[in-house]
Structure formats: structure tokens, C-alpha cells
Amino acid sequence: QVQLQESGPGLVKPSETLSLTCSVSGGSIGSYYLSWIRQPPGKGLEWIGYMYYSGSTNYNPSLKSRVTISVDASKRHFSLKLSAVTAADTAVYYCARDRTTLMGMDVWGQGTTVTVSS
Amino acid sequence: QSVLTQPPSASGTPGQRVTISCSGDSSNIGSNYVFWYQHLPGAAPKLLIYRISQRPSGVPDRFSGSKSGTSASLAISGLRSEDEADYYCASWDDSLSGWVFGGGTKVTVL
């Protein structure tokens, strides 16, 4: 059973870069995508972007200029980098195995809270 | 402002049927599958319905999904206290080339 776990700093200063890691255990994400999603306080879910197992990426147009998703050589640690953060980037960040538009996001991490504040 | 529109809240007594709507347009719901996620406080979101009306293994058949045109619905029959959660609809958007979500509907069991 594949499990995902997000990790990273809980506090980031405005204008700095938010960096999170999604660690995969109990298997691999297989030939699927790894998506990042966030939920600002009191708001709904927002898709940030994904990386395909081959390494290709696709980002939400509203965040594209600031987002980078990458993976290490083991394919077990996916990273999310969001640059020039503001208070509007304060949110719970989730990673999820994305089995495409046919099957949806079927495995999610517990989420990690990131606060942007000086 | 979410791309997909959901009512902010819905409620019912135990045993009742509750329906949640999700409205989109031709670039998302109108031309792609709809998914529903259940989000309990402090927990990871859980895939509840995929491909409009399919249930993953382990999801009770009290949960059902449907779609008509550019709108979709999630129905919860035989409402139970453990169904209290936030429910989100999602779909692929061809114009944005990405996933879009609804704003979420909080279901309360009275």
C-alpha cells in the first residue's frame, strides 16, 4: 500500500521560497502522476501542479511562474518549490498520487501546514 | 473563487438523503469526468467517487454520483453521523489544462 508523507518548514518569510518534500513509501507511484494541492485557511482545494513519472510537469497557470516540481533519482522524494511567497500562500499543502483523469487522486498525504509570515 | 460551484453547506438528519450539487462549464464538467472527495477534519482527503459515478473499493453504496450536462451531483443516502465532512467535486479543465475543484460543501448531520 503506497503511502505519501509531506514534510518541510512550517514557517516561511514573505518573498522567500517555500520548499516541501513528498516522500513515497510502501511502493512507488507507478506510471502515474504526483500532484500537489493546497488548501488556504477557510477556503477550498487548489491544484498546484503535477509531475509525471517520466519527469514531465504541468502547473496551474495561476502559479506557473513561481512553481517547480521535481523528483530525486530514487523517484521516492518529490519536491515542491514555490518562490516569492506572500501571506496568500499560507495553506495546508498536500501531495497525492494522481491516476489521471480516468481514476483521480486515490492516495493522499496527511498534509503539512505552511504559514507565510515575518 | 473556485472554478466549480458548490453550495457551502448541506444538512440532514440521520437516515435522510442529502444531495450536493457541483456546477461547471463546457471546458470541465461538460467534457470530462467528475470526481468527489471527502475531507474529514485533520485527515487527508479521500477519493469518494471517480469517473462520475464509480466507487473505489471500501466506499459504501450510500454514496452515489451523477452528471448532467455541465453539472454533477453527489448523493448521500441513509445519512450517518460519520458522514459529517467537507465534500469537494473536481474535474479536469481543458482550457486550463489542469484540475479544478469546487469550493467544498460542509455536510452536517443534525
Side-chain angles (χ1 to χ4, degrees), chain A residues 39 43-45 47 50 58 61 94 98 100-105 108-110, chain B residues 33 35 37 39 42 44-45 47 50-51 88 92 96-99 101 103:
Chain A
Q39 182 177 30
K43 297 188 178 181
L45 299 172
W47 177 73
Y50 65 52
N58 183 28
Y94 298 95
D98 183 346
T100 78
T101 58
L102 290 179
M103 301 296 289
M105 300 176 201
W108 292 66
Q110 286 293 111
Chain B
Y33 289 123
F35 300 79
Y37 296 92
H39 193 191
L47 179 63
Y50 66 98
R51 257 186 262 168
Y88 293 89
W92 184 262
L96 299 175
S97 291
W99 289 103
F101 288 90

PDB file of all heavy atoms in Angstrom, chain A residues 39 43-45 47 50 58 61 94 98 100-105 108-110, chain B residues 33 35 37 39 42 44-45 47 50-51 88 92 96-99 101 103:
ATOM      1  N   GLN A  39      -4.709  23.960   0.432  1.00  0.00           N
ATOM      2  CA  GLN A  39      -5.975  24.470   0.950  1.00  0.00           C
ATOM      3  C   GLN A  39      -5.693  25.626   1.892  1.00  0.00           C
ATOM      4  O   GLN A  39      -5.278  25.431   3.039  1.00  0.00           O
ATOM      5  CB  GLN A  39      -6.749  23.383   1.690  1.00  0.00           C
ATOM      6  CG  GLN A  39      -8.105  23.867   2.198  1.00  0.00           C
ATOM      7  CD  GLN A  39      -8.909  22.766   2.859  1.00  0.00           C
ATOM      8  OE1 GLN A  39      -8.353  21.835   3.433  1.00  0.00           O
ATOM      9  NE2 GLN A  39     -10.228  22.867   2.764  1.00  0.00           N
ATOM     10  N   LYS A  43     -10.728  28.044   3.004  1.00  0.00           N
ATOM     11  CA  LYS A  43     -11.031  28.004   1.570  1.00  0.00           C
ATOM     12  C   LYS A  43     -10.999  26.578   1.046  1.00  0.00           C
ATOM     13  O   LYS A  43     -10.731  25.627   1.774  1.00  0.00           O
ATOM     14  CB  LYS A  43     -10.044  28.883   0.801  1.00  0.00           C
ATOM     15  CG  LYS A  43     -10.132  30.362   1.169  1.00  0.00           C
ATOM     16  CD  LYS A  43      -9.276  31.211   0.261  1.00  0.00           C
ATOM     17  CE  LYS A  43      -9.407  32.694   0.594  1.00  0.00           C
ATOM     18  NZ  LYS A  43      -8.586  33.545  -0.306  1.00  0.00           N
ATOM     19  N   GLY A  44     -11.275  26.441  -0.240  1.00  0.00           N
ATOM     20  CA  GLY A  44     -11.313  25.131  -0.859  1.00  0.00           C
ATOM     21  C   GLY A  44      -9.954  24.665  -1.356  1.00  0.00           C
ATOM     22  O   GLY A  44      -8.932  25.312  -1.157  1.00  0.00           O
ATOM     23  N   LEU A  45      -9.971  23.524  -2.028  1.00  0.00           N
ATOM     24  CA  LEU A  45      -8.741  22.931  -2.544  1.00  0.00           C
ATOM     25  C   LEU A  45      -8.312  23.612  -3.841  1.00  0.00           C
ATOM     26  O   LEU A  45      -9.147  23.994  -4.664  1.00  0.00           O
ATOM     27  CB  LEU A  45      -8.956  21.438  -2.807  1.00  0.00           C
ATOM     28  CG  LEU A  45      -9.339  20.590  -1.592  1.00  0.00           C
ATOM     29  CD1 LEU A  45      -9.724  19.176  -2.036  1.00  0.00           C
ATOM     30  CD2 LEU A  45      -8.211  20.549  -0.585  1.00  0.00           C
ATOM     31  N   TRP A  47      -5.444  23.000  -6.996  1.00  0.00           N
ATOM     32  CA  TRP A  47      -4.397  22.186  -7.605  1.00  0.00           C
ATOM     33  C   TRP A  47      -3.213  23.074  -7.962  1.00  0.00           C
ATOM     34  O   TRP A  47      -3.383  24.125  -8.589  1.00  0.00           O
ATOM     35  CB  TRP A  47      -4.957  21.495  -8.840  1.00  0.00           C
ATOM     36  CG  TRP A  47      -3.980  20.677  -9.613  1.00  0.00           C
ATOM     37  CD1 TRP A  47      -3.444  19.467  -9.259  1.00  0.00           C
ATOM     38  CD2 TRP A  47      -3.419  21.006 -10.881  1.00  0.00           C
ATOM     39  NE1 TRP A  47      -2.598  19.026 -10.241  1.00  0.00           N
ATOM     40  CE2 TRP A  47      -2.567  19.951 -11.244  1.00  0.00           C
ATOM     41  CE3 TRP A  47      -3.560  22.079 -11.757  1.00  0.00           C
ATOM     42  CZ2 TRP A  47      -1.854  19.937 -12.442  1.00  0.00           C
ATOM     43  CZ3 TRP A  47      -2.851  22.081 -12.947  1.00  0.00           C
ATOM     44  CH2 TRP A  47      -2.005  21.016 -13.278  1.00  0.00           C
ATOM     45  N   TYR A  50       1.537  18.981 -11.255  1.00  0.00           N
ATOM     46  CA  TYR A  50       1.941  17.594 -11.112  1.00  0.00           C
ATOM     47  C   TYR A  50       3.203  17.292 -11.901  1.00  0.00           C
ATOM     48  O   TYR A  50       3.625  18.044 -12.780  1.00  0.00           O
ATOM     49  CB  TYR A  50       0.819  16.632 -11.518  1.00  0.00           C
ATOM     50  CG  TYR A  50       0.379  16.650 -12.975  1.00  0.00           C
ATOM     51  CD1 TYR A  50       1.256  16.526 -14.039  1.00  0.00           C
ATOM     52  CD2 TYR A  50      -0.976  16.751 -13.278  1.00  0.00           C
ATOM     53  CE1 TYR A  50       0.826  16.518 -15.356  1.00  0.00           C
ATOM     54  CE2 TYR A  50      -1.424  16.734 -14.590  1.00  0.00           C
ATOM     55  CZ  TYR A  50      -0.520  16.624 -15.622  1.00  0.00           C
ATOM     56  OH  TYR A  50      -0.960  16.626 -16.921  1.00  0.00           O
ATOM     57  N   ASN A  58       3.373  19.763 -15.255  1.00  0.00           N
ATOM     58  CA  ASN A  58       2.272  20.624 -15.680  1.00  0.00           C
ATOM     59  C   ASN A  58       1.839  21.418 -14.459  1.00  0.00           C
ATOM     60  O   ASN A  58       1.629  20.836 -13.385  1.00  0.00           O
ATOM     61  CB  ASN A  58       1.101  19.783 -16.209  1.00  0.00           C
ATOM     62  CG  ASN A  58      -0.036  20.636 -16.733  1.00  0.00           C
ATOM     63  OD1 ASN A  58       0.176  21.759 -17.186  1.00  0.00           O
ATOM     64  ND2 ASN A  58      -1.249  20.122 -16.663  1.00  0.00           N
ATOM     65  N   PRO A  61      -1.862  27.435 -14.209  1.00  0.00           N
ATOM     66  CA  PRO A  61      -1.439  28.691 -14.848  1.00  0.00           C
ATOM     67  C   PRO A  61      -1.300  29.851 -13.876  1.00  0.00           C
ATOM     68  O   PRO A  61      -0.443  30.715 -14.055  1.00  0.00           O
ATOM     69  CB  PRO A  61      -2.554  28.952 -15.872  1.00  0.00           C
ATOM     70  CG  PRO A  61      -3.086  27.602 -16.189  1.00  0.00           C
ATOM     71  CD  PRO A  61      -3.013  26.835 -14.904  1.00  0.00           C
ATOM     72  N   TYR A  94      -0.829  19.460   0.331  1.00  0.00           N
ATOM     73  CA  TYR A  94      -0.964  18.011   0.189  1.00  0.00           C
ATOM     74  C   TYR A  94      -0.258  17.533  -1.075  1.00  0.00           C
ATOM     75  O   TYR A  94      -0.238  18.243  -2.081  1.00  0.00           O
ATOM     76  CB  TYR A  94      -2.425  17.596   0.060  1.00  0.00           C
ATOM     77  CG  TYR A  94      -3.315  17.917   1.224  1.00  0.00           C
ATOM     78  CD1 TYR A  94      -4.075  19.088   1.234  1.00  0.00           C
ATOM     79  CD2 TYR A  94      -3.443  17.041   2.299  1.00  0.00           C
ATOM     80  CE1 TYR A  94      -4.920  19.384   2.289  1.00  0.00           C
ATOM     81  CE2 TYR A  94      -4.290  17.326   3.360  1.00  0.00           C
ATOM     82  CZ  TYR A  94      -5.019  18.497   3.347  1.00  0.00           C
ATOM     83  OH  TYR A  94      -5.864  18.780   4.399  1.00  0.00           O
ATOM     84  N   ASP A  98      -1.789  10.816  -8.497  1.00  0.00           N
ATOM     85  CA  ASP A  98      -2.787  11.256  -9.464  1.00  0.00           C
ATOM     86  C   ASP A  98      -2.845  10.217 -10.580  1.00  0.00           C
ATOM     87  O   ASP A  98      -1.932  10.148 -11.422  1.00  0.00           O
ATOM     88  CB  ASP A  98      -2.368  12.636  -9.997  1.00  0.00           C
ATOM     89  CG  ASP A  98      -3.357  13.236 -10.962  1.00  0.00           C
ATOM     90  OD1 ASP A  98      -4.253  12.513 -11.448  1.00  0.00           O
ATOM     91  OD2 ASP A  98      -3.233  14.441 -11.251  1.00  0.00           O
ATOM     92  N   THR A 100      -4.574  10.080 -13.162  1.00  0.00           N
ATOM     93  CA  THR A 100      -5.096  10.714 -14.372  1.00  0.00           C
ATOM     94  C   THR A 100      -6.571  11.027 -14.302  1.00  0.00           C
ATOM     95  O   THR A 100      -7.244  10.758 -13.300  1.00  0.00           O
ATOM     96  CB  THR A 100      -4.832   9.868 -15.636  1.00  0.00           C
ATOM     97  OG1 THR A 100      -5.778   8.784 -15.692  1.00  0.00           O
ATOM     98  CG2 THR A 100      -3.435   9.305 -15.657  1.00  0.00           C
ATOM     99  N   THR A 101      -7.082  11.544 -15.394  1.00  0.00           N
ATOM    100  CA  THR A 101      -8.477  11.967 -15.454  1.00  0.00           C
ATOM    101  C   THR A 101      -9.441  10.794 -15.526  1.00  0.00           C
ATOM    102  O   THR A 101     -10.648  10.977 -15.552  1.00  0.00           O
ATOM    103  CB  THR A 101      -8.702  12.874 -16.665  1.00  0.00           C
ATOM    104  OG1 THR A 101      -8.324  12.166 -17.852  1.00  0.00           O
ATOM    105  CG2 THR A 101      -7.874  14.139 -16.550  1.00  0.00           C
ATOM    106  N   LEU A 102      -8.901   9.586 -15.530  1.00  0.00           N
ATOM    107  CA  LEU A 102      -9.767   8.404 -15.511  1.00  0.00           C
ATOM    108  C   LEU A 102     -10.035   7.907 -14.100  1.00  0.00           C
ATOM    109  O   LEU A 102     -11.119   7.418 -13.802  1.00  0.00           O
ATOM    110  CB  LEU A 102      -9.127   7.278 -16.324  1.00  0.00           C
ATOM    111  CG  LEU A 102      -9.066   7.478 -17.829  1.00  0.00           C
ATOM    112  CD1 LEU A 102      -8.367   6.281 -18.481  1.00  0.00           C
ATOM    113  CD2 LEU A 102     -10.445   7.659 -18.421  1.00  0.00           C
ATOM    114  N   MET A 103      -9.025   8.048 -13.229  1.00  0.00           N
ATOM    115  CA  MET A 103      -9.137   7.451 -11.901  1.00  0.00           C
ATOM    116  C   MET A 103      -9.021   8.450 -10.757  1.00  0.00           C
ATOM    117  O   MET A 103      -9.289   8.116  -9.615  1.00  0.00           O
ATOM    118  CB  MET A 103      -8.068   6.367 -11.731  1.00  0.00           C
ATOM    119  CG  MET A 103      -8.139   5.253 -12.750  1.00  0.00           C
ATOM    120  SD  MET A 103      -9.681   4.310 -12.624  1.00  0.00           S
ATOM    121  CE  MET A 103      -9.409   3.450 -11.080  1.00  0.00           C
ATOM    122  N   GLY A 104      -8.588   9.665 -11.019  1.00  0.00           N
ATOM    123  CA  GLY A 104      -8.482  10.673  -9.975  1.00  0.00           C
ATOM    124  C   GLY A 104      -7.308  10.477  -9.035  1.00  0.00           C
ATOM    125  O   GLY A 104      -6.410   9.678  -9.272  1.00  0.00           O
ATOM    126  N   MET A 105      -7.333  11.221  -7.934  1.00  0.00           N
ATOM    127  CA  MET A 105      -6.255  11.186  -6.947  1.00  0.00           C
ATOM    128  C   MET A 105      -6.634  10.209  -5.848  1.00  0.00           C
ATOM    129  O   MET A 105      -7.484  10.525  -5.011  1.00  0.00           O
ATOM    130  CB  MET A 105      -6.018  12.590  -6.390  1.00  0.00           C
ATOM    131  CG  MET A 105      -5.635  13.587  -7.465  1.00  0.00           C
ATOM    132  SD  MET A 105      -5.464  15.250  -6.830  1.00  0.00           S
ATOM    133  CE  MET A 105      -5.669  16.210  -8.330  1.00  0.00           C
ATOM    134  N   TRP A 108      -3.517  10.103  -0.814  1.00  0.00           N
ATOM    135  CA  TRP A 108      -3.150  11.446  -0.389  1.00  0.00           C
ATOM    136  C   TRP A 108      -2.258  11.382   0.855  1.00  0.00           C
ATOM    137  O   TRP A 108      -2.374  10.472   1.682  1.00  0.00           O
ATOM    138  CB  TRP A 108      -4.393  12.260  -0.012  1.00  0.00           C
ATOM    139  CG  TRP A 108      -5.298  12.611  -1.131  1.00  0.00           C
ATOM    140  CD1 TRP A 108      -6.049  11.753  -1.894  1.00  0.00           C
ATOM    141  CD2 TRP A 108      -5.610  13.926  -1.596  1.00  0.00           C
ATOM    142  NE1 TRP A 108      -6.786  12.460  -2.812  1.00  0.00           N
ATOM    143  CE2 TRP A 108      -6.547  13.799  -2.645  1.00  0.00           C
ATOM    144  CE3 TRP A 108      -5.195  15.215  -1.229  1.00  0.00           C
ATOM    145  CZ2 TRP A 108      -7.061  14.898  -3.332  1.00  0.00           C
ATOM    146  CZ3 TRP A 108      -5.716  16.305  -1.900  1.00  0.00           C
ATOM    147  CH2 TRP A 108      -6.632  16.150  -2.946  1.00  0.00           C
ATOM    148  N   GLY A 109      -1.392  12.358   0.995  1.00  0.00           N
ATOM    149  CA  GLY A 109      -0.660  12.523   2.229  1.00  0.00           C
ATOM    150  C   GLY A 109      -1.536  13.206   3.268  1.00  0.00           C
ATOM    151  O   GLY A 109      -2.631  13.661   2.950  1.00  0.00           O
ATOM    152  N   GLN A 110      -1.051  13.272   4.494  1.00  0.00           N
ATOM    153  CA  GLN A 110      -1.801  13.890   5.584  1.00  0.00           C
ATOM    154  C   GLN A 110      -1.808  15.409   5.483  1.00  0.00           C
ATOM    155  O   GLN A 110      -2.639  16.070   6.107  1.00  0.00           O
ATOM    156  CB  GLN A 110      -1.206  13.477   6.929  1.00  0.00           C
ATOM    157  CG  GLN A 110      -1.506  12.053   7.337  1.00  0.00           C
ATOM    158  CD  GLN A 110      -2.988  11.848   7.623  1.00  0.00           C
ATOM    159  OE1 GLN A 110      -3.696  11.165   6.900  1.00  0.00           O
ATOM    160  NE2 GLN A 110      -3.471  12.471   8.691  1.00  0.00           N
TER     161      GLN A 110
ATOM    162  N   TYR B  33     -14.690  13.752 -16.890  1.00  0.00           N
ATOM    163  CA  TYR B  33     -15.252  13.055 -15.746  1.00  0.00           C
ATOM    164  C   TYR B  33     -15.274  13.963 -14.515  1.00  0.00           C
ATOM    165  O   TYR B  33     -14.531  14.939 -14.415  1.00  0.00           O
ATOM    166  CB  TYR B  33     -14.434  11.806 -15.429  1.00  0.00           C
ATOM    167  CG  TYR B  33     -14.592  10.694 -16.433  1.00  0.00           C
ATOM    168  CD1 TYR B  33     -13.489  10.158 -17.094  1.00  0.00           C
ATOM    169  CD2 TYR B  33     -15.846  10.149 -16.712  1.00  0.00           C
ATOM    170  CE1 TYR B  33     -13.632   9.126 -18.004  1.00  0.00           C
ATOM    171  CE2 TYR B  33     -15.999   9.124 -17.634  1.00  0.00           C
ATOM    172  CZ  TYR B  33     -14.884   8.614 -18.268  1.00  0.00           C
ATOM    173  OH  TYR B  33     -15.029   7.598 -19.165  1.00  0.00           O
ATOM    174  N   PHE B  35     -15.147  13.950 -10.210  1.00  0.00           N
ATOM    175  CA  PHE B  35     -14.659  13.204  -9.058  1.00  0.00           C
ATOM    176  C   PHE B  35     -15.163  13.888  -7.792  1.00  0.00           C
ATOM    177  O   PHE B  35     -15.360  15.108  -7.763  1.00  0.00           O
ATOM    178  CB  PHE B  35     -13.126  13.170  -9.048  1.00  0.00           C
ATOM    179  CG  PHE B  35     -12.532  12.526 -10.271  1.00  0.00           C
ATOM    180  CD1 PHE B  35     -12.427  13.230 -11.459  1.00  0.00           C
ATOM    181  CD2 PHE B  35     -12.114  11.214 -10.234  1.00  0.00           C
ATOM    182  CE1 PHE B  35     -11.897  12.638 -12.609  1.00  0.00           C
ATOM    183  CE2 PHE B  35     -11.584  10.607 -11.372  1.00  0.00           C
ATOM    184  CZ  PHE B  35     -11.489  11.321 -12.552  1.00  0.00           C
ATOM    185  N   TYR B  37     -14.431  14.097  -3.494  1.00  0.00           N
ATOM    186  CA  TYR B  37     -13.529  13.797  -2.400  1.00  0.00           C
ATOM    187  C   TYR B  37     -14.194  14.149  -1.073  1.00  0.00           C
ATOM    188  O   TYR B  37     -14.870  15.167  -0.948  1.00  0.00           O
ATOM    189  CB  TYR B  37     -12.221  14.597  -2.547  1.00  0.00           C
ATOM    190  CG  TYR B  37     -11.442  14.229  -3.783  1.00  0.00           C
ATOM    191  CD1 TYR B  37     -11.633  14.917  -4.971  1.00  0.00           C
ATOM    192  CD2 TYR B  37     -10.534  13.169  -3.770  1.00  0.00           C
ATOM    193  CE1 TYR B  37     -10.942  14.566  -6.124  1.00  0.00           C
ATOM    194  CE2 TYR B  37      -9.832  12.811  -4.914  1.00  0.00           C
ATOM    195  CZ  TYR B  37     -10.043  13.508  -6.086  1.00  0.00           C
ATOM    196  OH  TYR B  37      -9.363  13.151  -7.225  1.00  0.00           O
ATOM    197  N   HIS B  39     -13.486  15.054   2.860  1.00  0.00           N
ATOM    198  CA  HIS B  39     -12.390  15.573   3.682  1.00  0.00           C
ATOM    199  C   HIS B  39     -12.860  15.725   5.115  1.00  0.00           C
ATOM    200  O   HIS B  39     -13.616  16.639   5.436  1.00  0.00           O
ATOM    201  CB  HIS B  39     -11.898  16.914   3.126  1.00  0.00           C
ATOM    202  CG  HIS B  39     -10.599  17.347   3.702  1.00  0.00           C
ATOM    203  ND1 HIS B  39     -10.088  18.620   3.516  1.00  0.00           N
ATOM    204  CD2 HIS B  39      -9.690  16.696   4.462  1.00  0.00           C
ATOM    205  CE1 HIS B  39      -8.921  18.725   4.135  1.00  0.00           C
ATOM    206  NE2 HIS B  39      -8.662  17.554   4.712  1.00  0.00           N
ATOM    207  N   GLY B  42      -8.767  17.322   9.878  1.00  0.00           N
ATOM    208  CA  GLY B  42      -7.488  16.786  10.309  1.00  0.00           C
ATOM    209  C   GLY B  42      -7.017  15.559   9.559  1.00  0.00           C
ATOM    210  O   GLY B  42      -5.957  15.004   9.874  1.00  0.00           O
ATOM    211  N   ALA B  44      -6.514  13.315   5.677  1.00  0.00           N
ATOM    212  CA  ALA B  44      -6.244  13.508   4.259  1.00  0.00           C
ATOM    213  C   ALA B  44      -7.536  13.383   3.469  1.00  0.00           C
ATOM    214  O   ALA B  44      -8.410  12.584   3.821  1.00  0.00           O
ATOM    215  CB  ALA B  44      -5.247  12.452   3.781  1.00  0.00           C
ATOM    216  N   PRO B  45      -7.704  14.154   2.427  1.00  0.00           N
ATOM    217  CA  PRO B  45      -8.879  13.963   1.571  1.00  0.00           C
ATOM    218  C   PRO B  45      -8.916  12.529   1.050  1.00  0.00           C
ATOM    219  O   PRO B  45      -7.876  11.900   0.853  1.00  0.00           O
ATOM    220  CB  PRO B  45      -8.655  14.973   0.440  1.00  0.00           C
ATOM    221  CG  PRO B  45      -7.797  16.036   1.055  1.00  0.00           C
ATOM    222  CD  PRO B  45      -6.879  15.282   1.989  1.00  0.00           C
ATOM    223  N   LEU B  47     -10.670   9.879  -1.867  1.00  0.00           N
ATOM    224  CA  LEU B  47     -11.429   9.741  -3.104  1.00  0.00           C
ATOM    225  C   LEU B  47     -12.708   8.967  -2.826  1.00  0.00           C
ATOM    226  O   LEU B  47     -12.659   7.821  -2.378  1.00  0.00           O
ATOM    227  CB  LEU B  47     -10.579   9.021  -4.164  1.00  0.00           C
ATOM    228  CG  LEU B  47     -11.221   8.763  -5.517  1.00  0.00           C
ATOM    229  CD1 LEU B  47     -11.557  10.079  -6.224  1.00  0.00           C
ATOM    230  CD2 LEU B  47     -10.313   7.909  -6.388  1.00  0.00           C
ATOM    231  N   TYR B  50     -15.218   8.323  -8.487  1.00  0.00           N
ATOM    232  CA  TYR B  50     -14.418   8.647  -9.659  1.00  0.00           C
ATOM    233  C   TYR B  50     -15.221   8.352 -10.921  1.00  0.00           C
ATOM    234  O   TYR B  50     -16.182   7.583 -10.889  1.00  0.00           O
ATOM    235  CB  TYR B  50     -13.082   7.894  -9.653  1.00  0.00           C
ATOM    236  CG  TYR B  50     -13.188   6.386  -9.791  1.00  0.00           C
ATOM    237  CD1 TYR B  50     -13.010   5.772 -11.029  1.00  0.00           C
ATOM    238  CD2 TYR B  50     -13.440   5.579  -8.684  1.00  0.00           C
ATOM    239  CE1 TYR B  50     -13.088   4.399 -11.168  1.00  0.00           C
ATOM    240  CE2 TYR B  50     -13.531   4.204  -8.816  1.00  0.00           C
ATOM    241  CZ  TYR B  50     -13.352   3.614 -10.052  1.00  0.00           C
ATOM    242  OH  TYR B  50     -13.439   2.248 -10.190  1.00  0.00           O
ATOM    243  N   ARG B  51     -14.796   8.967 -11.978  1.00  0.00           N
ATOM    244  CA  ARG B  51     -15.491   8.774 -13.259  1.00  0.00           C
ATOM    245  C   ARG B  51     -17.001   8.947 -13.114  1.00  0.00           C
ATOM    246  O   ARG B  51     -17.776   8.105 -13.566  1.00  0.00           O
ATOM    247  CB  ARG B  51     -15.164   7.405 -13.839  1.00  0.00           C
ATOM    248  CG  ARG B  51     -14.159   7.453 -14.962  1.00  0.00           C
ATOM    249  CD  ARG B  51     -13.995   6.103 -15.592  1.00  0.00           C
ATOM    250  NE  ARG B  51     -12.838   5.413 -15.082  1.00  0.00           N
ATOM    251  CZ  ARG B  51     -12.581   4.119 -15.300  1.00  0.00           C
ATOM    252  NH1 ARG B  51     -13.407   3.387 -16.014  1.00  0.00           N
ATOM    253  NH2 ARG B  51     -11.499   3.566 -14.805  1.00  0.00           N
ATOM    254  N   TYR B  88     -15.783  17.772  -1.774  1.00  0.00           N
ATOM    255  CA  TYR B  88     -15.301  18.573  -2.894  1.00  0.00           C
ATOM    256  C   TYR B  88     -15.530  17.834  -4.211  1.00  0.00           C
ATOM    257  O   TYR B  88     -15.228  16.648  -4.319  1.00  0.00           O
ATOM    258  CB  TYR B  88     -13.808  18.858  -2.755  1.00  0.00           C
ATOM    259  CG  TYR B  88     -13.451  19.749  -1.596  1.00  0.00           C
ATOM    260  CD1 TYR B  88     -13.191  19.220  -0.347  1.00  0.00           C
ATOM    261  CD2 TYR B  88     -13.378  21.132  -1.757  1.00  0.00           C
ATOM    262  CE1 TYR B  88     -12.861  20.038   0.730  1.00  0.00           C
ATOM    263  CE2 TYR B  88     -13.050  21.963  -0.699  1.00  0.00           C
ATOM    264  CZ  TYR B  88     -12.800  21.410   0.542  1.00  0.00           C
ATOM    265  OH  TYR B  88     -12.482  22.226   1.600  1.00  0.00           O
ATOM    266  N   TRP B  92     -11.227  17.739 -14.639  1.00  0.00           N
ATOM    267  CA  TRP B  92     -10.158  18.273 -15.466  1.00  0.00           C
ATOM    268  C   TRP B  92     -10.726  19.420 -16.284  1.00  0.00           C
ATOM    269  O   TRP B  92     -11.849  19.341 -16.780  1.00  0.00           O
ATOM    270  CB  TRP B  92      -9.595  17.197 -16.384  1.00  0.00           C
ATOM    271  CG  TRP B  92      -8.426  17.667 -17.186  1.00  0.00           C
ATOM    272  CD1 TRP B  92      -8.440  18.104 -18.486  1.00  0.00           C
ATOM    273  CD2 TRP B  92      -7.072  17.773 -16.760  1.00  0.00           C
ATOM    274  NE1 TRP B  92      -7.181  18.468 -18.881  1.00  0.00           N
ATOM    275  CE2 TRP B  92      -6.314  18.273 -17.842  1.00  0.00           C
ATOM    276  CE3 TRP B  92      -6.405  17.477 -15.567  1.00  0.00           C
ATOM    277  CZ2 TRP B  92      -4.941  18.496 -17.761  1.00  0.00           C
ATOM    278  CZ3 TRP B  92      -5.049  17.700 -15.480  1.00  0.00           C
ATOM    279  CH2 TRP B  92      -4.322  18.193 -16.568  1.00  0.00           C
ATOM    280  N   LEU B  96      -7.727  25.226 -18.975  1.00  0.00           N
ATOM    281  CA  LEU B  96      -6.619  25.477 -18.060  1.00  0.00           C
ATOM    282  C   LEU B  96      -5.566  24.380 -18.138  1.00  0.00           C
ATOM    283  O   LEU B  96      -4.446  24.547 -17.643  1.00  0.00           O
ATOM    284  CB  LEU B  96      -7.133  25.576 -16.620  1.00  0.00           C
ATOM    285  CG  LEU B  96      -8.129  26.691 -16.327  1.00  0.00           C
ATOM    286  CD1 LEU B  96      -8.637  26.586 -14.888  1.00  0.00           C
ATOM    287  CD2 LEU B  96      -7.491  28.053 -16.557  1.00  0.00           C
ATOM    288  N   SER B  97      -5.931  23.247 -18.753  1.00  0.00           N
ATOM    289  CA  SER B  97      -5.060  22.067 -18.784  1.00  0.00           C
ATOM    290  C   SER B  97      -4.625  21.699 -17.375  1.00  0.00           C
ATOM    291  O   SER B  97      -3.427  21.502 -17.083  1.00  0.00           O
ATOM    292  CB  SER B  97      -3.815  22.334 -19.652  1.00  0.00           C
ATOM    293  OG  SER B  97      -4.169  22.432 -21.002  1.00  0.00           O
ATOM    294  N   GLY B  98      -5.605  21.606 -16.488  1.00  0.00           N
ATOM    295  CA  GLY B  98      -5.315  21.252 -15.109  1.00  0.00           C
ATOM    296  C   GLY B  98      -6.578  20.877 -14.366  1.00  0.00           C
ATOM    297  O   GLY B  98      -7.684  21.005 -14.893  1.00  0.00           O
ATOM    298  N   TRP B  99      -6.369  20.407 -13.147  1.00  0.00           N
ATOM    299  CA  TRP B  99      -7.501  20.052 -12.303  1.00  0.00           C
ATOM    300  C   TRP B  99      -8.136  21.298 -11.702  1.00  0.00           C
ATOM    301  O   TRP B  99      -7.443  22.235 -11.322  1.00  0.00           O
ATOM    302  CB  TRP B  99      -7.035  19.149 -11.149  1.00  0.00           C
ATOM    303  CG  TRP B  99      -6.634  17.771 -11.523  1.00  0.00           C
ATOM    304  CD1 TRP B  99      -5.365  17.272 -11.647  1.00  0.00           C
ATOM    305  CD2 TRP B  99      -7.512  16.680 -11.828  1.00  0.00           C
ATOM    306  NE1 TRP B  99      -5.400  15.955 -11.994  1.00  0.00           N
ATOM    307  CE2 TRP B  99      -6.704  15.561 -12.107  1.00  0.00           C
ATOM    308  CE3 TRP B  99      -8.903  16.534 -11.872  1.00  0.00           C
ATOM    309  CZ2 TRP B  99      -7.243  14.306 -12.440  1.00  0.00           C
ATOM    310  CZ3 TRP B  99      -9.440  15.299 -12.207  1.00  0.00           C
ATOM    311  CH2 TRP B  99      -8.617  14.199 -12.484  1.00  0.00           C
ATOM    312  N   PHE B 101     -11.253  22.422  -8.766  1.00  0.00           N
ATOM    313  CA  PHE B 101     -12.067  21.925  -7.664  1.00  0.00           C
ATOM    314  C   PHE B 101     -13.227  22.878  -7.391  1.00  0.00           C
ATOM    315  O   PHE B 101     -13.183  24.061  -7.765  1.00  0.00           O
ATOM    316  CB  PHE B 101     -11.231  21.834  -6.384  1.00  0.00           C
ATOM    317  CG  PHE B 101     -10.222  20.729  -6.360  1.00  0.00           C
ATOM    318  CD1 PHE B 101      -8.932  20.937  -6.833  1.00  0.00           C
ATOM    319  CD2 PHE B 101     -10.553  19.486  -5.848  1.00  0.00           C
ATOM    320  CE1 PHE B 101      -7.989  19.925  -6.800  1.00  0.00           C
ATOM    321  CE2 PHE B 101      -9.622  18.461  -5.800  1.00  0.00           C
ATOM    322  CZ  PHE B 101      -8.336  18.677  -6.279  1.00  0.00           C
ATOM    323  N   GLY B 103     -15.585  24.704  -4.321  1.00  0.00           N
ATOM    324  CA  GLY B 103     -15.214  25.347  -3.068  1.00  0.00           C
ATOM    325  C   GLY B 103     -15.470  24.504  -1.835  1.00  0.00           C
ATOM    326  O   GLY B 103     -15.069  24.866  -0.732  1.00  0.00           O
TER     327      GLY B 103
END
